[in-house]
Amino acid sequence: MSGSRITTDLRIKIRFLDHVINKKADIVRVYLPADANCLLSIFDHCLRTRHYVNVVVAGKHPLPQWLTMDAAVVHCTQGIGIWQWASNDQAASRRGDGLLRRHAYIGTMAAVAILREHLRI
């Protein structure tokens, strides 16, 4: 697949997510699971909810497993967090610089692709 095709696909996905995210939070919920166990936890939660439009963004390729199932349930219940073992988030980096905090791989990669394209970084 060519580079321009990948960029076009990312833009379409980002436009869809932007459209959905701009809806009221009491109607639409968007989930970007960070690993396979988070995907299972999120999907279990979505199947139990009523009266929401649940959007779960997941690829067709196998996801890595960073968390145990119990840790994934805790992480997903919190909503967002910093994995200390995977973070370089130190007190010095809290200056207000532009930071991308990884909650989901596809979202972070899409954001990085757009920033690189538009900011030439």
Side-chain angles (χ1 to χ4, degrees):
M1 184 179 290
S2 70
S4 62
R5 172 69 188 253
I6 292 171
T7 304
T8 303
D9 289 347
L10 280 175
R11 287 182 186 190
I12 291 169
K13 291 173 186 174
I14 291 169
R15 283 187 197 136
F16 170 74
L17 287 177
D18 182 55
H19 177 74
V20 171
I21 289 171
N22 284 313
K23 304 298 178 197
K24 291 184 179 182
D26 57 339
I27 298 171
V28 175
R29 303 288 169 94
V30 177
Y31 300 95
L32 302 161
D35 74 350
N37 285 333
C38 288
L39 175 62
L40 291 173
S41 175
I42 288 168
F43 204 72
D44 177 64
H45 169 74
C46 289
L47 290 174
R48 295 172 193 271
T49 61
R50 299 285 183 259
H51 309 295
Y52 290 114
V53 174
N54 292 306
V55 177
V56 179
V57 179
K60 57 186 173 182
H61 300 288
L63 290 173
Q65 264 182 260
W66 302 111
L67 302 176
T68 64
M69 194 63 215
D70 293 334
V73 170
V74 170
H75 173 69
C76 293
T77 302
Q78 291 174 344
I80 193 167
I82 297 174
W83 295 348
Q84 293 303 322
W85 58 269
S87 174
N88 65 355
D89 183 42
Q90 307 300 321
S93 68
R94 297 175 193 239
R95 298 182 307 228
D97 295 338
L99 299 176
L100 288 176
R101 297 190 185 256
R102 183 184 182 278
H103 182 64
Y105 180 75
I106 188 169
T108 303
M109 294 309 294
V112 168
I114 290 171
L115 287 173
R116 283 186 177 154
E117 180 180 340
H118 293 286
L119 299 178
R120 306 286 186 238
I121 57 174

